[in-house]
């Protein structure tokens, strides 16, 4: 029934979580403190787990012989549907945390909506994910505050990180036609409500440490929902997909 | 074994008669299997030996994240990626746990980590070997964690309470990792392609001997063992543990359908143990000295993580202070 609209939406959710999780894996052994090694890997683990749930559902709906792994490891960048924000390079810890926070605030609002979804499968996955993302958001929000309100250096780095990422936030309050249809049917999260909740959350954390809130970003050409990515995604996938691509008949 | 070659600084073990009343009281407690706790009196050399051993152990957990971190972005399925991420996360947790145990002895975590970064403190030699294929993730789980468990199971009875309790907790998670690593290899061997089976055998060929070296020098070249055993920090000798590891691992190797890179490996019915070939001790001492294949990269990565993260930690401290002042006002 909603399959044509639902699959791209599940891919948006799954691919975003997977790509964000992949970026967190890159931090392994390189975090500023051991506690952060633990936390970054913990958040990444949650996200890859969520990605697997969304992709499994997408694969069932597609019913074309592909499973979640095939969707994760055999799709090219033009077929990936993740948010542009999450594919951005890690940069320094300020970029990583600003990116995580902007994503978490969106993710939290989306999952809150999805926990009430008319699709019971979606509601179930979202309810579990929401518990995890509540923690992610708390943590990343606190890091934005610590860095924004910490030392002069950390503040300068956070002030540099925000504008570098901000243009990609246009996608966080956007929606495709099929998302709007799904939202009207009570299946997807309401994009207008998500955009508003996201902005409120971001504005509150920024204001708490006097970080200026940039004006709303505007759309320009790139669009993760259409598979129009930045040049960063191709490299990320080349690394992530190397083994299944090189050994297509292998069982791991 | 995660801590090899721990100096005790003791040339000769004292008899009870030679000991001061405090020392004798301490040794009698040890002999009666009463755990030593943080506030109890202990010989300074015991304290220092434990600080060295537990910090080496903690450093090993942290440096040990790197060979696996090398493949976490390239894990071949979502399931394997999740397993590896969970494992690395556990290792960071073990590191924290061990640093806490070490701090009960009055040592400072940052100071001990600085020694690691300056090359003064050691960590397990095994993490100086590169991970060159995905099969290494299975082989590390099976052989390296397997060797660590053989050692740590015994350390659950080590005489220092906080260390012993850390080991009890850590062992539970390690056995899980080891089974997972073995299952990865078994899957590749039984359901995989010829290329995958070759990958597994190659990983075993490269990691077999380094895993055996994890137990440290042979007993005849282990001058610190006697004192560590008398203090019951160590409960069994390097060679005993190494033999136990080989005896339990060879049947697993056969079940995989793989071989060990050791032509001398053979069941000895008379001894009831496997005989095995001579370890390349030159290689072992070179790696321990810092001249192994990845020593420079491993230490540089850790040093760089902590140095380039200094501004983050400073920010956290500054922000906490500001919040405190705000709350006080």
């Amino acid at each position: 029934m909603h399959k044509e609209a639902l699959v791209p939406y599940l891919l948006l959710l799954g691919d975003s979580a997977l790509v964000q999780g992949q970026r967190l894996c890159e931090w392994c052994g390189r975090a500023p403190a051991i506690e952060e090694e633990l936390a970054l890997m913990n958040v990444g683990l949650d996200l890859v787990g969520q990605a697997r749930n969304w992709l499994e559902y997408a694969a069932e709906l597609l019913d074309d012989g592909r499973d979640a792994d095939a969707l994760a490891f055999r799709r090219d960048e033009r077929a990936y549907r993740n948010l542009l924000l999450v594919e951005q390079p890690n940069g320094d810890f300020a970029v990583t945390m600003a990116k995580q926070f902007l994503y978490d605030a969106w993710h939290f609002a989306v999952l809150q909506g999805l926990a009430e979804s008319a699709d019971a499968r979606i509601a179930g996955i979202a309810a579990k994910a929401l518990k995890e993302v509540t923690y992610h958001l708390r943590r990343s929000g606190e890091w934005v505050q610590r860095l924004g309100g910490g030392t002069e250096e950390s503040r300068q780095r956070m002030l540099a990180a925000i504008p570098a990422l901000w243009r990609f936030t246009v996608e966080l309050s956007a929606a495709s036609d099929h998302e709007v249809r799904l939202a009207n049917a009570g299946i997807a999260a309401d994009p207008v409500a998500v955009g508003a909740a996201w902005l409120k959350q971001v504005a509150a954390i920024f204001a708490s440490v006097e970080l200026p809130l940039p004006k709303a970003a505007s759309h320009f050409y790139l669009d993760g929902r259409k598979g129009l990515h930045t040049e960063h995604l191709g490299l990320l996938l080349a690394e992530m997909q190397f083994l299944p691509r090189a050994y297509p008949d292998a069982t791991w | 074994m995660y801590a090899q070659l721990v100096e005790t600084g003791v040339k000769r073990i004292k008899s009870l008669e030679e000991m001061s009343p405090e020392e004798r009281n301490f040794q009698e407690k040890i002999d009666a299997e009463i755990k030593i706790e943080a506030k109890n009196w202990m010989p300074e050399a015991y304290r220092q030996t434990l600080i060295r051993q537990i910090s080496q152990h903690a450093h090993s957990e942290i440096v040990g994240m790197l060979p696996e971190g090398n493949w976490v972005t390239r894990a071949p399925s979502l399931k394997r990626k999740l397993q590896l991420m969970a494992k690395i996360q556990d290792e960071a947790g073990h590191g924290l746990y061990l640093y806490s145990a070490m701090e009960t002895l009055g040592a400072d975590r940052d100071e001990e980590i600085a020694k690691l970064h300056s090359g003064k403190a050691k960590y397990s030699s095994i993490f100086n070997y590169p991970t060159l294929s995905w099969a290494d993730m299975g082989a590390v789980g099976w052989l390296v964690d397997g060797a660590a468990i053989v050692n740590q199971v015994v350390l659950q009875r080590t005489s220092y309470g906080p260390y012993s309790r850390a080991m009890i907790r850590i062992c539970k998670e390690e056995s899980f990792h080891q089974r997972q690593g073995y299952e990865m290899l078994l899957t590749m061997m039984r359901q995989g392609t010829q290329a995958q089976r070759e990958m597994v055998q190659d990983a075993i060929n490269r990691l077999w001997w380094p895993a055996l070296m994890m137990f440290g020098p042979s007993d005849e070249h282990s001058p610190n063992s006697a004192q560590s055993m008398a203090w019951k920090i160590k409960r069994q000798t390097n060679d005993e543990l190494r033999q136990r590891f080989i005896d339990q691992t060879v049947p697993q190797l056969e079940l995989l359908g793989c071989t060990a890179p050791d032509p001398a490996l053979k069941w000895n019915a008379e001894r009831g143990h496997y005989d095995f070939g001579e370890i390349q001790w030159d290689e072992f001492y070179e790696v321990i000295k810092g001249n192994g294949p990845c020593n420079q990269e491993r230490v540089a990565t850790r040093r760089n993580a902590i140095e380039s993260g200094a501004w983050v930690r400073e920010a956290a401290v500054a922000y906490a202070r500001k919040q405190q002042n705000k709350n006080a006002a």
Side-chain angles (χ1 to χ4, degrees):
Chain A
M1 45 144 206
H2 292 293
K3 180 178 146 180
E4 206 176 305
L6 199 45
V7 169
Y9 186 61
L10 294 170
L11 293 178
L12 165 72
L13 296 168
D15 293 350
S16 297
L18 180 58
V19 171
Q20 178 69 7
Q22 176 74 3
R23 284 293 186 217
L24 293 177
C25 286
E26 295 171 8
W27 269 102
C28 180
R30 290 161 176 81
I34 301 166
E35 288 82 352
E36 293 308 308
E37 298 284 355
L38 204 65
L40 290 164
M41 205 48 74
N42 192 336
V43 172
L45 185 63
D46 288 345
L47 291 173
V48 176
Q50 293 170 22
R52 182 164 69 165
N53 292 334
W54 296 125
L55 294 180
E56 272 170 2
Y57 190 20
E60 283 173 36
L61 292 175
L62 280 167
D63 194 25
D64 58 5
R66 287 185 294 175
D67 59 8
D69 279 335
L71 291 177
F73 295 98
R74 309 285 176 97
R75 264 182 310 145
D76 291 341
E77 56 187 290
R78 288 286 286 115
Y80 255 72
R81 294 288 177 261
N82 62 280
L83 299 166
L84 298 170
L85 178 69
V86 297
E87 73 197 37
Q88 299 314 304
N90 283 335
D92 64 12
F93 199 67
V95 173
T96 289
M97 279 303 144
K99 188 166 53 146
Q100 185 75 43
F101 171 63
L102 295 171
Y103 170 63
D104 289 343
W106 173 85
H107 202 187
F108 182 79
V110 169
L111 292 173
Q112 263 190 328
L114 292 182
E116 311 286 317
S117 174
D119 182 318
R121 176 85 173 264
I122 290 181
I125 297 172
K128 181 176 177 289
L130 186 59
K131 287 183 199 147
E132 296 167 345
V133 173
T134 302
Y135 156 73
H136 302 175
L137 176 60
R138 188 179 138 196
R139 173 181 133 76
S140 61
E142 283 175 358
W143 268 116
V144 169
Q145 291 175 314
R146 277 187 207 112
L147 299 179
T151 61
E152 189 50 37
E153 181 180 5
S154 70
R155 183 171 176 81
Q156 287 309 320
R157 286 179 187 254
M158 188 46 79
L159 283 170
I162 293 166
L165 298 168
W166 195 258
R167 63 194 174 114
F168 302 113
T169 62
V170 67
E171 291 190 330
L172 305 182
S173 45
S176 60
D177 293 345
H178 65 249
E179 261 170 84
V180 173
R181 281 205 307 281
L182 285 172
N184 290 339
I187 293 170
D190 174 9
V192 179
V194 166
W198 174 80
L199 186 62
K200 196 175 160 207
Q201 176 71 253
V202 172
I205 292 288
F206 280 20
S208 71
V209 285
E210 291 165 20
L211 288 167
L213 188 71
K215 67 175 172 34
S218 54
H219 177 75
F220 178 74
Y221 185 80
L222 298 170
D223 189 340
R225 284 178 173 83
K226 291 184 180 155
L228 287 169
H229 292 278
T230 60
E231 290 177 346
H232 302 297
L233 185 65
L235 289 166
L236 181 145
L237 294 181
E239 181 176 352
M240 188 175 88
Q241 298 180 336
F242 144 70
L243 276 170
R245 298 278 197 184
Y247 301 92
D249 305 323
T251 305
W252 306 99
Chain B
M1 172 148 176
Y2 273 25
Q4 300 151 316
L5 274 184
V6 180
E7 298 285 328
T8 56
V10 176
K11 299 259 186 296
R12 190 179 65 83
I13 301 168
K14 286 184 193 169
S15 67
L16 281 176
E17 293 71 41
E18 292 171 281
M19 291 178 182
S20 70
E22 275 171 324
E23 280 177 293
R24 194 176 313 154
N25 180 276
F26 170 84
Q27 190 61 49
E28 280 164 359
K29 254 169 114 172
I30 296 272
D31 294 342
E33 298 286 334
I34 297 167
K35 292 274 180 269
I36 306 301
E37 297 297 337
K39 289 188 170 170
N40 297 155
W41 185 89
M42 59 187 84
E44 193 50 27
Y46 176 85
R47 182 189 302 277
Q48 293 305 330
T49 300
L50 272 171
I51 290 173
R52 276 190 289 267
Q53 176 156 341
I54 303 174
S55 66
Q56 264 191 47
H57 201 148
H59 298 334
S60 300
E61 296 282 1
I62 299 304
V63 176
M65 294 168 63
L66 299 175
E68 290 172 331
N70 181 36
W71 281 92
V72 70
T73 56
R74 290 177 288 169
S77 72
L78 292 167
K79 175 179 151 186
R80 296 304 183 199
K81 199 178 196 73
L82 288 165
Q83 286 176 344
L84 194 58
M85 292 172 86
K87 184 179 177 196
I88 294 168
Q89 193 191 331
D90 283 348
E91 281 157 3
H94 295 172
L96 281 179
Y97 206 58
L98 286 159
Y99 283 126
S100 298
M102 179 200 77
E103 285 178 330
T104 64
L105 292 156
D108 178 80
R109 187 197 305 195
D110 293 338
E111 282 173 23
E112 296 306 316
I113 290 174
K115 285 182 199 162
L116 168 71
H117 295 170
S118 70
K120 248 183 89 184
K122 293 185 179 67
Y123 54 91
S124 179
S125 58
I126 189 73
F127 301 120
N128 292 311
Y129 288 84
T131 50
L132 300 177
S133 80
W134 172 255
D136 290 23
M137 295 303 98
V140 165
W142 170 48
L143 293 174
V144 174
D145 290 39
I149 292 165
V150 166
N151 190 258
Q152 290 172 352
V153 163
V154 190
L155 285 176
Q156 292 180 113
R157 295 187 297 116
T158 195
S159 60
Y160 187 57
Y163 192 25
S164 146
R165 291 189 288 274
M167 284 301 105
I168 290 168
R169 200 162 147 157
I170 289 171
C171 273
K172 289 185 188 145
E173 290 179 351
E174 294 281 12
S175 340
F176 184 67
H177 299 159
Q178 196 219 3
R179 284 201 298 275
Q180 223 162 41
Y182 189 67
E183 188 264 336
M184 277 170 55
L185 297 183
L186 209 52
T187 304
M188 289 173 77
M189 289 304 294
R190 293 193 171 169
Q191 297 164 48
T193 61
Q194 182 57 26
Q196 284 181 290
R197 287 190 286 273
E198 285 167 15
M199 217 182 264
V200 172
Q201 183 62 59
D202 176 62
I204 293 169
N205 291 348
R206 284 181 287 106
L207 288 166
W208 179 262
W209 290 108
L212 297 186
M213 293 178 196
M214 289 174 70
F215 295 93
S218 63
D219 292 348
E220 54 184 318
H221 294 109
S222 192
N224 300 294
S225 286
Q227 180 63 74
S228 274
M229 301 268 289
W231 280 331
K232 298 192 179 174
I233 293 176
K234 281 177 84 150
R235 306 297 314 236
Q236 281 183 296
T237 73
N238 295 350
D239 285 337
E240 282 167 0
L241 292 169
R242 188 169 11 244
Q243 182 71 60
R244 178 178 305 164
F245 173 72
I246 288 172
D247 289 348
Q248 75 179 40
T249 302
V250 173
Q252 296 167 2
L253 182 74
E254 285 166 356
L255 191 69
L256 277 177
C258 292
T259 56
D262 179 1
L265 186 71
K266 201 167 130 246
W267 178 251
N268 182 328
E270 210 171 298
R271 288 204 307 132
H273 292 292
Y274 282 92
D275 291 335
F276 57 98
E278 186 68 15
I279 288 174
Q280 296 292 314
W281 293 113
D282 291 351
E283 176 179 319
F284 171 76
Y285 288 109
E286 281 304 310
V287 174
I288 289 278
K289 267 194 289 181
N291 302 326
C294 297
N295 298 57
Q296 292 188 21
E297 287 86 349
R298 299 290 188 242
V299 173
T301 300
R302 289 308 306 152
R303 190 170 48 225
N304 190 37
I306 296 306
E307 282 174 5
S308 64
W311 68 272
V312 176
R313 299 190 301 278
E314 284 158 16
V317 171
Y319 185 73
R321 199 178 300 128
K322 284 182 199 172
Q323 291 302 106
Q324 240 168 18
N325 293 344
K326 211 188 272 179
N327 291 342

